[in-house]
Amino acid sequence: MRNHSVVSEFMLIGLSADPLTQALLFVLFLVIYLLTLMGNLMLLLVIRLDSHLHIPMYFFLGQLSFLDLCHSSVTVPKLLENLLSEKKTISLEGCMAQVFFVFTTGGAESCLLAAMAYDRYVAISSPLLYGQVMNRRLCMGLVWGSWGLAFLDALINILVALDLDFCEAQNIHHYSCEMPSLYPLSCSDVTASFTVLLCSSFLHFFGNFLVIFFSYVCILSTILSISSTTGRSKAFSTCSSHLTAVTFFYGSGFLRYLMPNSGSTQELIFSLQYSVVTPMSNPLIYSLKNKEVKAGLRRLLRKYF
């Protein structure tokens, strides 16, 4: 970090200062985090051990579970620590590292959801060619491409942010470090960093959203062309879980980042939904709404228990 950056740590004061409320929030977020770990690890285990689930759709679902584990683990452990600590601090280096990994995991999940939308489009529009089109090489390429694009996006943003100077104010009205929360604290010009953030977010997230949108337009067109009601219902059920996950991820993400950075309760709720609740809900969405995952879990339980 630059030598003339006076502030060496920040105070994360986004949540309540009342000790009783903090204790209740600690229990709540600890339960959510444990459910996130157990749910996503269970899904990874079922997909890994059940040969019936060794198809592209569940390969992507396993990658999504791994990403949810990573994304939640970037922010929640520090959140839990601060709820128990009197001095709710994070170092400048730790804050920048958290920003980088939030960017990386969030960006990779955005790309992966777009890849999963394309997978559902191929499965519904060309079921006979599904295995040939969505081969292992393409699936691995889409996953590595998701991580690569997210890493590049995060690296560009963090390199520009390292030029920011923080001189006096050190209170972040949030429970974690995010780039928009740092701009009000900087005593240098944030124009370059803000421009890079805006452009990269537009290209990355809106680009992936357009891929998802047009994939579902094509999926809907294909479903409507199916003559039987049973066939239409079966085709739609194969992508309903993914559509729910996309709605959770992009709905809360857009509401969080399109709102002005004010530290309001509403802003914190949308941010918690995006980074804490969504990683917990994805395993529930896919296990409750997907018959094959439920069948795989039953087979696993019968085999080992």
Side-chain angles (χ1 to χ4, degrees):
M1 303 302 297
R2 289 180 174 267
N3 293 330
H4 54 266
S5 294
V6 176
V7 172
S8 60
E9 61 182 18
F10 297 109
M11 298 278 291
L12 297 169
I13 58 171
L15 298 176
S16 174
D18 178 62
L20 178 59
T21 305
Q22 287 183 1
L24 294 173
L25 288 175
F26 175 82
V27 173
L28 174 63
F29 290 129
L30 179 61
V31 170
I32 290 175
Y33 186 54
L34 291 176
L35 288 174
T36 301
L37 294 179
M38 289 188 294
N40 285 291
L41 287 172
M42 179 205 70
L43 209 51
L44 279 168
L45 191 64
V46 172
I47 292 169
R48 175 69 177 174
L49 297 179
D50 193 336
S51 59
H52 296 84
L53 302 180
H54 292 175
I55 60 175
M57 174 183 176
Y58 298 106
F59 170 74
F60 288 125
L61 179 55
Q63 297 299 318
L64 181 65
S65 292
F66 177 70
L67 265 171
D68 282 335
L69 284 172
C70 295
H71 190 65
S72 181
S73 297
V74 171
T75 55
V76 179
K78 185 62 180 177
L79 166 62
L80 293 173
E81 178 193 334
N82 284 342
L83 285 171
L84 293 179
S85 172
E86 290 186 10
K87 194 177 181 183
K88 307 175 190 309
T89 59
I90 184 170
S91 67
L92 180 57
E93 293 82 1
C95 187
M96 288 298 181
Q98 194 174 65
V99 169
F100 175 79
F101 287 114
V102 166
F103 258 108
T104 303
T105 54
E109 184 158 344
S110 174
C111 290
L112 190 64
L113 287 171
M116 293 173 76
Y118 176 72
D119 171 74
R120 292 299 81 212
Y121 161 68
V122 175
I124 291 173
S125 63
S126 306
L128 298 178
L129 299 175
Y130 177 63
Q132 183 179 346
V133 175
M134 299 302 297
N135 54 64
R136 182 167 180 80
R137 183 178 179 181
L138 177 61
C139 292
M140 291 297 294
L142 289 171
V143 169
W144 281 109
S146 298
W147 278 103
L149 285 173
F151 178 83
L152 183 63
D153 184 28
L155 184 64
I156 292 171
N157 275 280
I158 209 69
L159 287 176
V160 178
L162 288 177
D163 282 330
L164 297 178
D165 299 321
F166 302 96
C167 305
E168 295 179 5
Q170 56 180 186
N171 291 336
I172 298 178
H173 295 275
H174 208 269
Y175 63 88
S176 67
C177 286
E178 295 182 357
M179 195 71 79
S181 302
L182 296 178
Y183 291 149
L185 307 182
S186 176
C187 53
S188 57
D189 187 9
V190 301
T191 304
S193 179
F194 179 76
T195 303
V196 170
L197 174 65
L198 192 64
C199 293
S200 65
S201 298
F202 181 83
L203 291 173
H204 195 99
F205 290 96
F206 281 92
N208 289 323
F209 181 76
L210 286 176
V211 171
I212 295 170
F213 176 78
F214 284 115
S215 293
Y216 272 100
V217 168
C218 296
I219 287 170
L220 183 61
S221 176
T222 303
I223 290 175
L224 292 176
S225 67
I226 299 173
S227 55
S228 67
T229 305
T230 306
R232 285 198 296 268
S233 177
K234 186 177 180 181
F236 182 75
S237 67
T238 63
C239 56
S240 60
S241 298
H242 176 258
L243 192 57
T244 305
V246 168
T247 303
F248 267 71
F249 180 82
Y250 275 96
S252 56
F254 281 156
L255 288 171
R256 161 66 183 98
Y257 289 105
L258 289 177
M259 290 179 65
N261 190 63
S262 59
S264 65
T265 304
Q266 191 177 22
E267 179 191 335
L268 286 171
I269 290 172
F270 287 135
S271 186
L272 287 167
Q273 166 68 41
Y274 173 75
S275 60
V276 179
V277 179
T278 297
M280 178 196 68
S281 63
N282 281 339
L284 295 174
I285 292 168
Y286 278 97
S287 59
L288 293 176
K289 295 176 72 68
N290 192 297
K291 293 179 180 178
E292 292 183 12
V293 172
K294 288 190 286 187
L297 180 59
R298 285 194 295 268
R299 285 192 293 267
L300 189 67
L301 291 173
R302 282 198 299 267
K303 183 176 180 180
Y304 291 99
F305 300 99

